[in-house]
Amino acid sequence: MIGSTLAKPLSAGDRDGWATWKARFLTDDGRVVDHLQDQASHSEGQGYGLLLAQAYGDRAAFEAIEDWTQRHLLIRDDPLMAWRWRPDVPDRGADWHTATDGDLFRAWALMRAEVFSGWAGTGAAAGAIAASIKTLCLARDPRTQGEPVLMPSAETPRSEAEVLFNPSYVMPRALRELGAFTGETDLARAADHGETLLAELAGAGPVPVWVLITKGGYSPAPPYSDAQGYDALRVGLYLMWSDRPHHPAVARQAGYYDDGASAPVVVSPGGEVRTRSTYPGYLALADLVRCRPARPAASQDEPYYPATLGLLTAVARREGATCSI
């Protein structure tokens, strides 16, 4: 079932936050820039930017972002995006490999634009991306050979014995709404099973950024990190956005947060907080995961990632009935 969106109206603060984000990270021609990553653009950033433009009702920005994406990242033989574009590469070439989170958010944004915003003509592209995610980015859980697991990319090696899994790519609401819109029921199944995987991982400790799912259970995935790192912060955000406030992974993540002026952003597999940050975006996410009122955001120049998480958190608060605050 496709839910409603923007149940709560945009405030002046919301609009100011979006305007600030655009001024800092969005070029006039629609490229979302991560200044700390060699001025690169990623499919994740283009997908997030497209979703945010739709959520903030900014059709001009939405069309610019989608136009840049089509011209620079759609270089494959399928509807999925190349995952990275760098201005310093000869001929400004893009890396043709994919990142599933970027494609998922782009498809979801295109679907929302047609269904919720009435911006006709975007639904067909959403359907094509959803079909490719189903075909290229779903594997089978080696323990069951039945339930679908969302893969981090179309190129990720997978076998009947093991599957590489990034928990932060599972956005249940996006998967379910896309599945309902397109009829790709495996996407909704991937959301359901993804929540099961997240609960199992949270039962054992902090949800890691990367893990191998094997026939015998879970194991580290060298050389990838097994800590609850920056990417894994999205687990709690996505579950809250999907109205899953009582999910074990939310409780696990919330347990590391407090009312202090900084928020944990890296937690070791044993539960030791390794890194903290004062960036407002991380603090906003912590408040949402703890189901607490958002604290006033201090004026601070944030890099792309925490600033974007902060805006996504604001959208999650408006769209979900999880926290009546």
Side-chain angles (χ1 to χ4, degrees):
M1 181 177 181
I2 302 176
S4 61
T5 188
L6 289 182
K8 301 171 186 175
L10 290 165
S11 67
D14 291 328
R15 297 185 188 280
D16 288 345
W18 170 237
T20 298
W21 187 92
K22 285 197 301 178
R24 296 196 61 215
F25 307 111
L26 184 64
T27 65
D28 290 341
D29 63 348
R31 181 167 86 92
V32 178
V33 182
D34 188 338
H35 301 291
L36 294 184
Q37 298 292 325
D38 299 319
Q39 309 295 317
S41 294
H42 298 89
S43 60
E44 168 211 275
Q46 296 303 119
Y48 282 161
L50 201 66
L51 185 285
L52 289 168
Q54 182 277 326
Y56 284 91
D58 191 335
R59 189 168 186 175
F62 181 93
E63 291 178 348
I65 293 167
E66 177 63 8
D67 178 69
W68 189 93
T69 299
Q70 290 184 16
R71 288 187 290 110
H72 295 280
L73 298 186
L74 297 190
I75 62 173
R76 296 167 51 90
D77 293 331
D78 55 51
L80 305 182
M81 292 181 283
W83 84 280
R84 180 176 60 185
W85 183 94
R86 292 173 53 186
D88 59 334
V89 173
D91 299 323
R92 297 191 172 185
D95 185 326
W96 61 270
H97 297 82
T98 75
T100 306
D101 57 344
D103 291 308
L104 177 59
F105 266 80
R106 177 172 172 244
W108 192 33
L110 291 167
M111 181 221 83
R112 288 163 54 113
E114 181 155 307
V115 175
F116 301 141
S117 301
W119 301 343
T122 59
I129 299 165
S132 290
I133 291 174
K134 172 196 170 183
T135 302
L136 301 175
C137 304
L138 294 183
R140 298 298 166 184
D141 190 323
R143 301 170 300 176
T144 67
Q145 292 304 319
E147 293 303 319
V149 177
L150 188 69
M151 301 287 290
S153 77
E155 293 74 42
T156 301
R158 78 289 308 264
S159 70
E160 292 186 359
E162 62 182 32
V163 173
L164 180 64
F165 180 55
N166 186 319
S168 73
Y169 282 28
V170 177
M171 202 315 184
R173 182 171 182 160
L175 288 164
R176 291 191 177 105
E177 291 190 353
L178 272 175
F181 176 73
T182 64
E184 299 288 0
T185 57
D186 273 358
L187 297 185
R189 289 181 60 203
D192 294 342
H193 191 56
E195 289 188 9
T196 297
L197 299 175
L198 295 176
E200 292 172 349
L201 290 167
V207 177
V209 177
W210 295 96
V211 68
L212 277 179
I213 307 172
T214 71
K215 289 185 176 181
Y218 299 99
S219 66
Y224 301 107
S225 172
D226 60 353
Q228 177 182 286
Y230 290 89
D231 283 359
L233 297 176
R234 299 179 295 184
V235 170
L237 166 61
Y238 292 168
L239 286 169
M240 294 294 283
W241 200 343
S242 302
D243 289 334
R244 295 292 187 267
H246 305 299
H247 191 282
V250 173
R252 174 70 70 175
Q253 189 168 333
Y256 298 108
Y257 295 140
D258 54 33
D259 293 324
S262 64
V265 289
V266 179
V267 179
S268 75
E272 176 189 2
V273 175
R274 291 178 174 171
T275 308
R276 303 180 70 93
S277 174
T278 60
Y279 284 133
Y282 295 140
L283 295 173
L285 189 153
D287 290 337
L288 175 70
V289 170
R290 295 179 70 207
C291 213
R292 295 175 62 85
R295 71 192 81 183
S299 177
Q300 189 172 353
D301 288 337
E302 295 181 273
Y304 153 80
Y305 186 62
T308 303
L309 287 187
L311 276 193
L312 293 171
T313 296
V315 176
R317 279 189 180 271
R318 293 202 310 275
E319 295 187 354
T322 296
C323 295
S324 300
I325 51 179

